[in-house]
Amino acid sequence: MCEGAQDLTDAASCSGRLVGVALAASRLSEESYVEAAREFNAATAENEMKWGSNEPSPGRFNFAAGDVIADFARDNGMELKGHALVWHNQLPGWVSSLDSAEAVRAAMLDHIRGVMEHYRGRVRAWDVVNEAWNDDGSALRDSVFYRHLGAGYIDEAFIAAREADPEAKLYYNDFDGEDLSMKSNAIYEMVRGMLDRGVPIDGVGLQMHVRIPDDEPAIAELTQNMQRIADLGLDVVVSELDVRHCNGETAEQQAARYHDVVATCLGQPRCPEITVWGITDRYSWLNAAGAPGCPDGETPHPLLWDNDYQKKPAYDAFMAALLGP
Ligand code: G3I
């Protein structure tokens, strides 16, 4: 099977890893999109399981959009990642405007229980807390959760998550914490402290929205960072991989970057999952105004399929890395 691998499906089963993709429910009516999605053996809802989507008003859960992703994953034999329970972004207004610790705590714990109980038995791993650190990792982000509950909200969220679905793996997920930096140190110390306190946590997600130059993260630093997290007994996963391809850079450079990131995960036994953040360049979040695209405003075409669903050199490199040296 490994030698004759034709597509990502074959390569993923050879690698023994979860090879995932972020899916948008609204695109599942497109034949080419679905065909590409079926090459993966794991799925994450790009937006449909976020708080703004599934609890738009207090206690009134709406799982319709998230269930579209969950059903697609089930019907296609894909493992499902839950993303994300507690995040400062894509929060409904009613949560952002809560003004007491009691109200924020009740809302957060009820949300975790309500969502996790709905998906119990279907979600392999949840991003329980997402992006709690500020951009450079100098402090915890000033979210409604931190403002009212202090740093302890993170422990509280994970404890509630374990109770709500004892079988699901519980991950902390963040961006720009891939190399050895103030931010990755902060994340490392945070999860180490959680383990010391007996807080249930199973892994760390490195989002990996990266660019081509081999400095953020440098592969040597990514390898070291993954290893120190693994040495704590935690999983370390690549949770939202995309590689911006900007002016003057080549498709081969993008392909090499994909290859090296995937190979680094493959070299780490505690890295069970690599998820790419979308299928086609056409629908990447990086095309939106205000996203960290390319310096000159050029479209970053960061994914494995181009705008017309043609497989790019990045696809071949991704697959080659899964098949190993
Ligand atoms: O659904 C509405 C639509 O009805 C409306 O017409 C349109 C107008 O702007 O907006 C649509 O919602 C957008 C949504 O994506 C669905 O397309 C939101 O404006 C837009 O903000 C939202 O962006 C998402 C972003 O998270 C929000 O922060 C991206 O798709 C999604 O890829 C991105 O994913 C995040 C991860 O969850 C966490 N890590 C970083 C990553 C990239 O930012």
Side-chain angles (χ1 to χ4, degrees):
M1 150 98 67
C2 288
E3 277 173 23
Q6 298 291 318
D7 57 18
L8 282 180
T9 311
D10 296 341
S13 43
C14 268
S15 71
R17 309 297 164 112
L18 296 171
V19 180
V21 64
L23 295 177
S26 61
R27 307 293 178 199
L28 289 173
S29 51
E30 278 184 47
E31 204 177 310
S32 302
Y33 187 94
V34 168
E35 195 181 309
R38 288 197 176 119
E39 292 201 28
F40 294 84
N41 62 18
T44 303
E46 186 174 359
N47 288 296
E48 294 79 351
M49 294 190 190
K50 294 172 181 174
W51 198 322
S53 173
N54 61 22
E55 198 190 358
S57 50
R60 298 179 69 96
F61 290 95
N62 178 351
F63 296 113
D67 286 353
V68 170
I69 305 291
D71 291 351
F72 183 87
R74 180 203 57 211
D75 293 347
N76 291 285
M78 302 161 93
E79 294 281 355
L80 185 61
K81 165 84 85 67
H83 172 82
L85 293 165
V86 180
W87 187 27
H88 67 281
N89 208 341
Q90 286 176 293
L91 267 185
W94 69 268
V95 182
S96 313
S97 56
L98 293 171
D99 62 1
S100 72
E102 293 68 30
V104 173
R105 177 173 289 114
M108 181 180 83
L109 299 181
D110 287 350
H111 181 72
I112 291 170
R113 290 185 198 114
V115 176
M116 289 187 77
E117 283 169 11
H118 176 78
Y119 288 109
R120 191 160 48 202
R122 287 190 280 172
V123 167
R124 176 192 160 273
W126 274 101
D127 291 332
V128 178
V129 174
N130 196 40
E131 301 174 11
W133 287 90
N134 66 4
D135 288 3
D136 68 4
S138 56
L140 284 171
R141 197 179 284 283
D142 178 31
S143 66
V144 68
F145 309 106
Y146 180 67
R147 214 171 308 131
H148 289 288
L149 303 176
Y153 86 86
I154 299 171
D155 288 5
E156 290 187 57
F158 277 83
I159 290 166
R162 181 66 93 221
E163 280 172 14
D165 183 354
E167 301 301 317
K169 286 190 176 281
L170 308 180
Y171 289 171
Y172 174 78
N173 191 51
D174 213 327
F175 63 87
D176 283 353
E178 290 90 12
D179 51 3
L180 299 174
S181 65
M182 180 159 63
K183 187 157 182 177
S184 66
N185 290 344
I187 293 167
Y188 174 78
E189 292 301 339
M190 178 187 77
V191 297
R192 196 166 68 146
M194 291 169 73
L195 291 167
D196 286 348
R197 293 190 294 279
V199 175
I201 178 169
D202 301 301
V204 173
L206 307 179
Q207 293 185 8
M208 210 94 61
H209 297 290
V210 300
R211 282 201 50 196
I212 285 172
D214 182 30
D215 51 2
E216 291 178 0
I219 293 298
E221 292 194 16
L222 172 63
T223 305
Q224 283 182 58
N225 191 35
M226 284 187 156
Q227 189 60 52
R228 69 174 169 171
I229 294 169
D231 287 344
L232 294 174
L234 296 174
D235 288 349
V236 54
V237 305
V238 176
S239 57
E240 304 185 13
L241 176 62
D242 49 28
V243 179
R244 276 166 274 164
H245 172 181
C246 296
N247 215 8
E249 297 159 349
T250 66
E252 287 65 36
Q253 286 174 301
Q254 182 185 48
R257 195 86 172 105
Y258 265 107
H259 179 279
D260 293 350
V261 170
V262 174
T264 306
C265 173
L266 270 280
Q268 171 49 257
R270 294 224 52 151
C271 181
E273 172 202 334
I274 304 144
T275 286
V276 288
W277 207 241
I279 290 177
T280 159
D281 288 342
R282 180 184 291 258
Y283 301 137
S284 168
W285 72 283
L286 288 161
N287 299 337
C294 292
D296 57 2
E298 184 204 1
T299 310
H301 36 98
L303 293 167
L304 303 181
W305 281 263
D306 72 10
N307 287 340
D308 301 315
Y309 291 100
Q310 296 303 305
K311 292 172 179 174
K312 295 162 57 178
Y315 175 99
D316 297 326
F318 188 94
M319 196 171 135
L322 289 172
L323 293 171

